[in-house]
Amino acid sequence: MAFLLVLCCTEMEGNLLEKKDKGYYLSILSLIVLIGVLVSYFYGPVFFHPNQFLLNDGGDAFKNYFTYEWYIQNDNSFIDYIGSNYPYGENHLYTDGTPILSNLIKLLPFLKPYSIDIFNFSMLISLFVCALILFKIFRLFHIENWKAILSAVGITVLCPQALRYTGHFALSYGFCIPLIIYLLLTFNLDRQHKLKRSVVISLVSIFIFFIHPYLGMICASFIIFYWIFKLLFERNKSGTFILEFILQAIIPVVFYFLIVKLTDHHSDRNALPYGFFYLNSSIETIFISTHKPFRHLLSQLYKIKSQNGEGIAYIGIASLIMFFYTLYLFFKNRARATQVIKEDILLKNYLLMFFSAIMLLLFSMGFPFNIGLSWILDHVPTIQQFRAPGRFAWVFYFIVCIGVCIIICKYSFRKLPRTSKTILIFLLLCLYTIEGIPYHNEVTKAKFPVNIFKEEYLSKELKDVIAVIKGIKPQSIIPLPFFHVGTDYYNIAGTGNITNSSFVISLHSKVPLMANLTPRNSLTEAQKLIQIISSDLIHKDIRGDLTSTDPFVILYTKEFLDENEQSLLNRGTLVLETENYIIKQITLEQLFYNSTASKISFFEANKLKMLRTNHLFLTDSSYVHFNGFDHLPNQRLEGNVNDTNILFEIEPNKLMKDERYELSFWYRAKDKLDMNNLLIIEEEDANGNTQIIAQKNMYSMNNVTKDGTLAILPFAIKNVANRIMISLTGTSDREKTFFLDDLMIRQKNTNVYRLYYSDRIKDSILNYNNIDLFHESN
């Protein structure tokens, strides 16, 4: 994939460079050898045996391998992915499944057995491609071969995208931004074929969008700002630039978003994903390394407050030294420098690229939205779709490092003796590689995980589980502990064990998951899936979307389950138990079992025997507290996510030691924008010392409806003489208002019925332990 792009660039290059002699090709060979040594040392097992090993098997890494592999091996569509989020599936453009590569393999079916090989190899070969493109850029500026080699290797090794080998694989293709830089430079050197070159830049930009939309938007934004500055500084030629601007900058963006619009049939995606105001770059991530050897030195010069991983685009200590030295030289000799820039078309256009990179750097740091201009987002909400603006600083990294290396190699140290100059240049250029080595040392593995997506590497236990599931032929696999991550509203994390096991078993059995781990998925679809593990008293909206009557399979990894998950597991019929797994079959009727009728019948038969407290009916006389907040103006409690909200305090000696209690209430986030609010129950002694006895985030609660979330948190106190405090505290960069209603605390073995009149349905409703009881027919 990457080599095709480089061949395209080479073909377009024409005679822009001087004649390629033997030294040129020896330099290319030397470059390949140096990068090859790096790749062999850090990633040797994966590079030489790409079918046998994975780069990583944790978190997003395993998920990205799965979505990529499932789509290739099991999906017939070139758009729709059905490996998870059953029965709805997902648009493959939203799965981080590297659609340009996966669709290419689907077009060439003979490549399917080598899909993981190709994926692994493409990520590692991109290091070679990145270095090669950088070398070609330096040759455009007539940098000597040995200097161009050291510069290209150093910038490649220090590239922050190497850190994406831990999981965000599609973001690891470091050649994309240098390729756009190279194409823009050659475009300005060859004005005779400007239309042809504009078309190539447009196609390459579209290509990059389908590697990963972030990379595509980063490159497209860079091109847009480049042309804006070109139009500003060359106004006398602006009329001739319009077509080129549209071809290079506008068409790729419009084309990609048009494809998404036409192919995406999943509604209700979160329009304002979390992170826009938090996942930024900063002074600390651009000018101070996150790794040794110079981090401590630089941190003495500028105190580190935080170094957000999404904003890492460290330009290297050599760039820092020369960057400020160059500014000094420029202002000292600005008349001469200005003249040189005017006469050199490459330098002039590179300066425009530097201005463009500055704009993207400011955006990556949150400007201008973090200085009181966030109202702009109300008018252009699409901007906030990019949850991690810090990544846009990658352009600044490449532009500054390339520019500084050109200055080091071509314009600096002219008054020094030749030997001293050579040594100094060599040392400065080597600093990039020295500082980049720790990046690769961080992401490499002492032992790379085996490629368990290949059947020959499966354990006997997994093969037995897969065989049993294939025999059942279920319509879907329900993993327990359950997981559903990706909406930024709900976040049922599950465990690393269940997610990885589910992916492997699903892929090999060819049975999709009724769970999900993909970014930016539909809120409505997520809610319906999570209801699978909601209380059986809550109506399951997903039932109407299931057309098959085939059974389901529960995959249980013998880890902790909450009460709702345990109830679901109990309803299944055991099929297989191994050392690490329990496999149960569950029918459609068992899955959607609802106990509403039995709860109503029990109430009708026993209400006269129950203890009556106002409108509450209790099955015994143990501790119960209820607050419907009817005394408040809107009959509900309103709070701010970013504040510490005290919900209730229980005085000492009200509860019994080691007795199980349950806190519950209904929670609603305004406009369904954020649920990142931590529910905390803590004890406070007479000296003011506190100890947390239970906590859970609101986004991980699993009793969900279209109207709100029922938060449930069991707890037990440790000291009856302590005061119990219940609070909510969270973090939000979006809508911060939440509403809370019907707060109840009960002893776990006490069931609480509540009979009240509903203005919504104009009738009386019976409520059981904070859940309204409706017959399924209603």
Side-chain angles (χ1 to χ4, degrees):
M1 174 182 65
F3 272 132
L4 289 175
L5 284 175
V6 175
L7 287 173
C8 173
C9 294
T10 305
E11 180 66 24
M12 292 296 298
E13 185 183 80
N15 58 3
L16 293 174
L17 291 174
E18 68 273 14
K19 184 177 179 181
K20 298 170 186 173
D21 55 15
K22 184 178 180 181
Y24 176 84
Y25 291 108
L26 285 175
S27 298
I28 294 292
L29 180 60
S30 301
L31 184 72
I32 292 172
V33 169
L34 288 173
I35 296 296
V37 170
L38 170 90
V39 172
S40 299
Y41 181 79
F42 288 107
Y43 312 103
V46 182
F47 186 68
F48 293 110
H49 306 282
N51 181 53
Q52 186 175 348
F53 298 102
L54 303 176
L55 282 167
N56 196 4
D57 64 349
D60 283 338
F62 213 69
K63 180 269 294 183
N64 288 340
Y65 274 120
F66 170 70
T67 56
Y68 165 86
E69 188 70 351
W70 172 284
Y71 180 72
I72 291 172
Q73 305 297 340
N74 298 333
D75 285 334
N76 297 319
S77 169
F78 282 91
I79 289 295
D80 295 320
Y81 154 85
I82 61 168
S84 58
N85 204 43
Y86 181 84
Y88 309 106
E90 182 56 283
N91 186 310
H92 187 50
L93 298 175
Y94 283 90
T95 66
D96 278 347
T98 321
I100 192 71
L101 183 59
S102 52
N103 276 312
L104 175 64
I105 295 173
K106 286 169 73 75
L107 281 171
L108 304 171
F110 64 90
L111 294 176
K112 283 188 176 184
Y114 313 104
S115 52
I116 294 290
D117 315 48
I118 294 169
F119 193 27
N120 282 337
F121 199 69
S122 72
M123 287 186 281
L124 295 178
I125 208 71
S126 71
L127 291 167
F128 293 87
V129 178
C130 181
L132 179 59
I133 295 172
L134 288 167
F135 177 81
K136 290 165 113 14
I137 290 173
F138 290 120
R139 293 300 294 127
L140 287 178
F141 286 91
H142 304 293
I143 304 300
E144 293 177 65
N145 286 332
W146 73 270
K147 297 176 184 176
I149 291 171
L150 287 179
S151 300
V153 170
I155 295 173
T156 300
V157 174
L158 185 59
C159 175
Q161 289 170 258
L163 296 171
R164 302 297 167 158
Y165 284 140
T166 56
H168 291 159
F169 295 134
L171 292 173
S172 70
Y173 294 98
F175 68 86
C176 296
I177 296 170
L179 181 58
I180 293 298
I181 294 171
Y182 176 81
L183 291 175
L184 287 174
L185 288 172
T186 54
F187 167 81
N188 287 285
L189 289 178
D190 183 17
R191 299 295 293 168
Q192 291 182 348
H193 303 94
K194 60 181 181 179
L195 180 60
K196 181 180 178 182
R197 291 185 177 278
S198 290
V199 170
V200 169
I201 292 172
S202 182
L203 291 175
V204 168
S205 294
I206 291 171
F207 183 96
I208 294 171
F209 264 109
F210 288 97
I211 294 176
H212 196 287
Y214 256 105
L215 284 177
M217 200 63 214
I218 290 169
C219 291
S221 300
F222 175 53
I223 296 171
I224 288 170
F225 277 116
Y226 167 78
W227 277 102
I228 289 173
F229 282 111
K230 196 172 182 68
L231 291 168
L232 287 174
F233 284 98
E234 300 181 32
R235 287 190 293 270
N236 58 324
K237 301 179 183 178
S238 59
T240 65
F241 291 157
I242 298 302
L243 178 60
E244 296 155 10
F245 173 70
I246 292 173
L247 279 173
Q248 296 181 23
I250 304 302
I251 286 180
V253 178
V254 172
F255 179 82
Y256 177 77
F257 282 100
L258 185 62
I259 290 294
V260 172
K261 185 72 175 177
L262 292 175
T263 62
D264 185 25
H265 307 298
H266 301 265
S267 61
D268 198 23
R269 296 189 190 276
N270 197 328
L272 300 174
Y274 173 82
F276 185 81
F277 289 100
Y278 294 111
L279 304 179
N280 305 118
S281 67
S282 63
I283 297 294
E284 294 96 321
T285 62
I286 305 298
F287 300 109
I288 300 177
S289 177
T290 53
H291 297 71
K292 297 177 179 180
F294 299 116
R295 183 177 190 272
H296 180 69
L297 171 64
L298 294 170
S299 68
Q300 301 305 305
L301 303 175
Y302 186 95
K303 185 175 177 59
I304 298 175
K305 297 178 182 177
S306 64
Q307 290 182 298
N308 191 311
E310 290 290 358
I312 295 175
Y314 172 58
I315 61 175
I317 196 165
S319 290
L320 286 172
I321 294 169
M322 293 305 300
F323 182 69
F324 294 107
Y325 176 66
T326 302
L327 288 177
Y328 164 75
L329 289 181
F330 178 82
F331 285 106
K332 182 180 178 181
N333 306 285
R334 54 185 175 274
R336 173 60 183 157
T338 302
Q339 186 63 32
V340 170
I341 291 172
K342 285 183 178 179
E343 294 173 354
D344 191 320
I345 188 171
L346 280 176
L347 287 178
K348 181 168 64 175
N349 280 281
Y350 205 82
L351 185 62
L352 299 180
M353 293 183 192
F354 176 71
F355 293 150
S356 305
I358 289 290
M359 297 302 294
L360 293 182
L361 176 66
L362 292 174
F363 174 75
S364 76
M365 290 181 168
F367 293 106
F369 314 107
N370 57 1
I371 56 171
L373 296 178
S374 59
W375 55 266
I376 296 174
L377 300 172
D378 297 330
H379 301 284
V380 194
T382 304
I383 296 174
Q384 207 166 339
Q385 284 286 314
F386 297 93
R387 74 167 75 226
R391 298 170 184 173
F392 283 75
W394 294 344
V395 174
F396 184 79
Y397 166 79
F398 280 110
I399 288 294
V400 168
C401 291
I402 292 170
V404 167
C405 285
I406 292 170
I407 292 168
I408 291 173
C409 298
K410 194 172 181 179
Y411 298 104
S412 299
F413 318 121
R414 291 183 174 180
K415 296 181 180 180
L416 290 179
R418 182 179 179 84
T419 302
S420 300
K421 177 181 176 180
T422 300
I423 293 174
L424 187 55
I425 291 174
F426 177 83
L427 291 175
L428 282 171
L429 296 181
C430 284
L431 284 176
Y432 289 101
T433 301
I434 291 170
E435 289 197 272
I437 291 297
Y439 283 9
H440 299 272
N441 194 50
E442 176 183 308
V443 300
T444 192
K445 303 290 182 185
K447 185 177 181 181
F448 284 96
V450 172
N451 177 16
I452 201 170
F453 292 113
K454 292 296 181 182
E455 189 172 358
E456 56 264 38
Y457 300 120
L458 292 173
S459 66
K460 183 183 182 302
E461 182 182 31
L462 280 173
K463 288 179 179 178
D464 290 343
V465 169
I466 291 165
V468 164
I469 292 175
K470 282 183 175 180
I472 296 172
K473 296 181 180 179
Q475 57 177 300
S476 183
I477 295 171
I478 303 172
L480 292 179
F482 187 79
F483 62 91
H484 198 293
V485 180
T487 64
D488 279 341
Y489 187 77
Y490 303 114
N491 190 351
I492 315 294
T495 66
N497 186 22
I498 187 61
T499 54
N500 283 15
S501 297
S502 298
F503 294 151
V504 171
I505 292 168
S506 171
L507 177 73
H508 290 290
S509 65
K510 299 184 182 298
V511 179
L513 296 172
M514 189 175 268
N516 200 47
L517 178 52
T518 58
R520 211 74 63 85
N521 46 328
S522 163
L523 283 170
T524 300
E525 293 171 5
Q527 170 193 303
K528 291 180 179 181
L529 259 73
I530 294 169
Q531 285 178 344
I532 290 296
I533 55 161
S534 293
S535 165
D536 65 61
L537 299 174
I538 293 177
H539 175 74
K540 310 298 190 288
D541 298 312
I542 197 173
R543 184 167 190 172
D545 299 328
L546 294 170
T547 57
S548 173
T549 58
D550 291 340
F552 299 82
V553 157
I554 295 175
L555 171 65
Y556 174 45
T557 50
K558 298 186 177 181
E559 298 172 271
F560 172 78
L561 300 179
D562 72 8
E563 186 175 333
N564 290 338
E565 292 172 318
Q566 187 64 53
S567 173
L568 174 60
L569 180 66
N570 292 343
R571 296 201 294 272
T573 303
L574 181 66
V575 177
L576 175 70
E577 181 170 2
T578 67
E579 181 181 355
N580 298 296
Y581 302 100
I582 289 177
I583 307 301
K584 287 193 171 185
Q585 180 175 323
I586 186 168
T587 66
L588 198 67
E589 290 73 23
Q590 290 171 326
L591 180 62
F592 294 109
Y593 166 77
N594 187 289
S595 62
T596 295
S598 64
K599 297 293 188 297
I600 294 175
S601 297
F602 178 86
F603 176 75
E604 294 297 334
N606 295 279
K607 62 182 178 181
L608 297 179
K609 305 175 188 176
M610 293 182 185
L611 177 66
R612 179 115 182 229
T613 304
N614 296 324
H615 51 290
L616 302 180
F617 294 80
L618 314 181
T619 55
D620 65 41
S621 59
S622 59
Y623 178 87
V624 172
H625 169 81
F626 179 82
N627 187 352
F629 301 105
D630 294 334
H631 61 287
L632 296 178
N634 294 317
Q635 296 185 321
R636 57 185 181 178
L637 179 68
E638 182 174 329
N640 186 305
V641 172
N642 290 333
D643 294 336
T644 296
N645 300 271
I646 303 299
L647 306 183
F648 187 62
E649 296 181 9
I650 304 175
E651 294 300 316
N653 302 310
K654 290 287 186 179
L655 305 182
M656 294 184 290
K657 183 180 179 181
D658 297 328
E659 186 66 49
R660 298 293 294 170
Y661 294 89
E662 180 183 273
L663 164 71
S664 66
F665 54 81
W666 283 93
Y667 183 96
R668 296 167 181 84
K670 186 176 180 181
D671 298 328
K672 278 200 170 183
L673 289 180
D674 210 339
M675 284 272 286
N676 186 15
N677 210 351
L678 184 63
L679 175 61
I680 299 173
I681 302 177
E682 55 189 345
E683 291 186 11
E684 182 182 72
D685 63 22
N687 298 319
N689 300 313
T690 60
Q691 179 183 8
I692 295 176
I693 56 176
Q695 61 180 346
K696 191 173 184 179
N697 202 301
M698 293 305 306
Y699 58 47
S700 62
M701 302 291 180
N702 58 29
N703 287 298
V704 301
T705 71
K706 62 183 178 181
D707 297 319
T709 294
L710 176 62
I712 295 179
L713 185 59
F715 68 97
I717 65 170
K718 300 181 182 299
N719 190 327
V720 296
N722 289 341
R723 184 174 60 154
I724 310 300
M725 294 187 299
I726 303 170
S727 63
L728 278 169
T729 181
T731 302
S732 175
D733 61 346
R734 293 163 288 172
E735 180 56 59
K736 301 171 181 61
T737 302
F738 71 86
F739 305 101
L740 187 148
D741 202 4
D742 295 344
L743 185 147
M744 178 186 291
I745 303 170
R746 67 183 179 92
Q747 196 166 316
K748 189 66 175 167
N749 59 8
T750 298
N751 293 316
V752 179
Y753 286 87
R754 178 164 60 97
L755 194 61
Y756 71 101
Y757 181 82
S758 170
D759 292 327
R760 181 170 62 87
I761 66 171
K762 306 300 180 185
D763 200 355
S764 294
I765 293 179
L766 181 63
N767 181 286
Y768 172 81
N769 291 342
N770 237 345
I771 301 176
D772 290 340
L773 299 179
F774 295 101
H775 286 291
E776 283 290 276
S777 59
N778 294 333

